[in-house]
Amino acid sequence: MAKSTSFSTRDIGIDLGTANTLVYARGRGIILNEPSVVAVESRTGKVLAVGSEAKQAVGRTPGSITATRPLKGGVITDFEATEGMLRHFIRAARVGRGRGPRVVVCVPSGVTGVERRAVLQTAARAGARSVHLIEEPMAAAIGAGLPVHEARGSMVVDIGGGSTEVAIISLGGTVVTHSARVAGDALDAAIASYIEQNFAMGVGERTAEDVKMSLGSGVPTPVRGRDKETGMPKTVELSEEAIREATEKPVAAIVDAVRAAFDACPPELYGDIMERGIVLTGGGALLHGLDERLAKETGMPVFVAEEPLSCVAVGTGRCLEEFDKLEKVFSGTVHGA
């Protein structure tokens, strides 16, 4: 007889990220990958668009419509918008009618008890039958294929949009966790600030993100924005050296987060990590040269996961596919609709 907690093919895992939300459907894999953006009618609070459609409206909306990212630093800052976003994704992932799906949602390891309860309740109100939480670095480690249940240490650094999550894992649990609210968004903000200070030019977050992604191209990057003095369009070129200078402060903060985890690492696990290395996941893992920088600063081998952008979502999916085996990694549960 099946356990009452067994999952069905309607059940989904959600990597609720600051920058992007990925949805994994049991038996189908990753079915949605959308920006974590919501367009809201300012007067009524009605959600008008979610995901890619809403992102296109960022910076282009009339006064009656607000396009917002309801998560900052890896946590929910706008609960109503987040609920609307979750409702949209849950409905898009559902197969047929009937009871709502069971949902596994990832949360940063540094969330407070209040924030944890808010995520549980928000997902339940959005139509989930029950909600199970898993901490992001654990999901990332599972998705990257690390042997989290072995009695040996594994280390994962998940660099998302709003936070960097560092964890040392052994025997199915996190031995050490460290969360720093500096990641991809901080890199983008640092680039925008550098351009403003050095070229008196304002650029949007999408332009700053494009500049970040150009690092490693080997050629200067043309950047278009608005001249702060004249208000007219302006174009400048940024060298790789300039981009690295612009991102130095947040990169150093990521390195410090990894060092902080090492400082708390039990000696018994240190050798395991030296042998296996550090695995990088999340969009920030793709920043050119970051793996080499971390290897130099820590003296440890550093590897980028095979599919870093989807590791957390795949990890939630494996929790659905192997619920009995991975049940103890959940950090909270609530029953909803």
Side-chain angles (χ1 to χ4, degrees):
M1 182 177 178
K3 290 177 64 176
S4 61
T5 51
S6 64
F7 281 50
S8 77
T9 55
R10 285 200 299 252
D11 298 319
I12 61 175
I14 300 177
D15 171 13
L16 188 62
T18 301
N20 293 281
T21 294
L22 283 74
V23 179
Y24 183 108
R26 186 169 188 257
R28 292 186 285 161
I30 296 173
I31 60 170
L32 289 172
N33 182 352
E34 297 269 1
S36 300
V37 181
V38 181
V40 179
E41 210 289 321
S42 303
R43 184 175 57 83
T44 64
K46 180 182 178 181
V47 173
L48 301 177
V50 172
S52 298
E53 184 181 353
K55 186 174 183 179
Q56 294 299 319
V58 172
R60 299 188 176 98
T61 58
S64 61
I65 300 174
T66 302
T68 181
R69 291 170 61 178
L71 292 96
K72 297 186 186 302
V75 297
I76 297 174
T77 55
D78 186 330
F79 292 102
E80 290 186 6
T82 300
E83 184 174 336
M85 186 171 70
L86 282 172
R87 190 179 301 278
H88 170 85
F89 290 136
I90 290 173
R91 284 177 176 171
R94 288 183 69 169
V95 176
R97 298 182 179 181
R99 300 181 68 184
R102 294 187 179 94
V103 177
V104 175
V105 183
C106 290
V107 293
S109 58
V111 298
T112 66
V114 171
E115 291 167 338
R116 194 180 301 273
R117 287 191 297 274
V119 174
L120 286 167
Q121 292 166 3
T122 298
R125 286 195 301 268
R129 176 181 171 187
S130 64
V131 188
H132 306 261
L133 298 187
I134 179 173
E135 293 185 351
E136 282 181 15
M138 176 63 79
I142 294 170
L146 296 181
V148 298
H149 287 292
E150 290 187 8
R152 301 181 66 192
S154 297
M155 187 169 187
V156 63
V157 180
D158 182 54
I159 308 167
S163 65
T164 293
E165 308 290 326
V166 188
I168 298 172
I169 297 167
S170 180
L171 287 172
T174 51
V175 181
V176 175
T177 60
H178 187 79
S179 179
R181 294 189 178 180
V182 55
D185 287 351
L187 291 164
D188 297 344
I191 290 170
S193 177
Y194 180 90
I195 293 171
E196 182 175 359
Q197 292 175 10
N198 289 272
F199 300 99
M201 187 175 83
V203 298
E205 60 183 44
R206 294 176 65 186
T207 298
E209 183 180 10
D210 289 342
V211 172
K212 176 182 67 179
M213 294 173 66
S214 74
L215 190 61
S217 66
V219 296
T221 300
V223 185
R224 297 174 179 83
R226 182 175 62 86
D227 191 303
K228 302 289 285 188
E229 296 178 356
T230 67
M232 299 299 290
K234 182 177 180 180
T235 301
V236 300
E237 286 193 342
L238 285 185
S239 65
E240 289 219 355
E241 292 75 15
I243 300 173
R244 292 191 187 281
E245 181 182 347
T247 57
E248 173 55 30
K249 188 172 181 179
V251 166
I254 292 171
V255 172
D256 288 344
V258 176
R259 283 177 169 165
F262 269 126
D263 287 344
C265 179
E268 294 81 2
L269 300 181
Y270 201 88
D272 296 338
I273 299 168
M274 176 66 79
E275 179 182 340
R276 293 184 172 187
I278 302 168
V279 176
L280 304 184
T281 65
L286 298 173
L287 183 69
H288 183 76
L290 180 59
D291 53 346
E292 297 174 0
R293 171 74 177 271
L294 282 169
K296 180 180 178 181
E297 296 277 358
T298 64
M300 296 283 183
V302 179
F303 308 97
V304 177
E306 189 171 333
E307 297 288 343
L309 288 167
S310 60
C311 280
V312 172
V314 170
T316 66
R318 288 186 179 165
C319 289
L320 297 171
E321 307 286 356
E322 305 174 41
F323 180 75
D324 292 345
K325 179 181 177 182
L326 297 170
E327 183 176 5
K328 74 174 188 176
V329 305
F330 296 137
S331 61
T333 297
V334 70
H335 295 281

